[in-house]
Amino acid sequence: MSSERILVVDDHRDSLELLKIQISFFGWEVVPANSGREALEIVRMDRPNLVVLDMLMPEIDGFQVARVLKSDPDWKRIPILAATALAMPGDRERCLAAGCDDYLAKPFTHRELKEHLTRLLAQSKLSAVSDQQAGLSNEEQEKTTLSSQLAES
């Protein structure tokens, strides 16, 4: 079983259940949420590795959830897949502009879902490694600067 946790957010029970079954079948842990508000609470308590987000929900919709997540420095790197019935011209762009990292129009196949999730998780891991290496480079640079300053004194 993989250690990746995927938060699945959909206000339609049948859609949520279908996504839970599919994603569990792929070997990932699924954390379900029935609303945008619940999704934000879950992210605050237990950061997921990825969010699959329905865009059309009452109260706090997927667009708002994406904006909140991408505006917070602690959450902005969590990849978001818009899994939505919005399939008209311009809908993909609206989802991406709100902060989603990828877009998948319903209905989609089992294979399409797995491809999108696999790609987003891989990109997220590469980004984390890159950030870690950049942090090490900065740390090494600071040590070199400090060593130089100590040698001069």
Side-chain angles (χ1 to χ4, degrees):
M1 187 72 158
S2 176
S3 63
E4 278 89 2
R5 281 183 331 281
I6 298 178
L7 173 60
V8 179
V9 189
D10 201 310
D11 63 317
H12 291 102
R13 188 180 331 178
D14 292 342
S15 295
L16 184 59
E17 285 302 313
L18 181 60
L19 283 167
K20 280 172 47 180
I21 290 167
Q22 288 179 310
I23 294 169
S24 294
F25 180 80
F26 300 144
W28 295 306
E29 179 185 344
V30 177
V31 180
N34 296 308
S35 68
R37 184 176 314 284
E38 184 180 3
L40 292 173
E41 289 171 8
I42 289 170
V43 170
R44 281 186 191 104
M45 294 178 351
D46 188 24
R47 178 190 168 110
N49 299 94
L50 188 144
V51 177
V52 177
L53 186 60
D54 180 30
M55 303 309 283
L56 300 175
M57 296 183 290
E59 290 184 48
I60 300 175
D61 65 19
F63 294 97
Q64 292 169 300
V65 171
R67 280 192 216 73
V68 167
L69 293 178
K70 294 303 180 174
S71 69
D72 188 297
D74 293 332
W75 303 332
K76 70 181 180 181
R77 295 235 183 236
I78 300 172
I80 302 171
L81 172 63
T84 181
L86 293 173
M88 299 300 289
D91 287 337
R92 180 182 192 283
E93 291 74 19
R94 283 182 45 221
C95 292
L96 297 177
C100 295
D101 298 285
D102 203 354
Y103 166 89
L104 192 55
K106 294 177 184 177
F108 45 79
T109 67
H110 194 69
R111 175 191 232 167
E112 289 172 318
L113 178 61
K114 185 175 184 181
E115 287 172 359
H116 283 261
L117 295 176
T118 301
R119 183 174 56 248
L120 285 170
L121 286 168
Q123 288 170 350
S124 179
K125 286 179 184 177
L126 283 174
S127 179
V129 167
S130 224
D131 288 351
Q132 194 174 35
Q133 289 174 341
L136 289 176
S137 296
N138 289 342
E139 190 175 303
E140 289 172 6
Q141 192 174 24
E142 288 173 13
K143 284 180 183 177
T144 303
T145 303
L146 185 57
S147 294
S148 297
Q149 290 172 346
L150 288 173
E152 290 174 2
S153 42

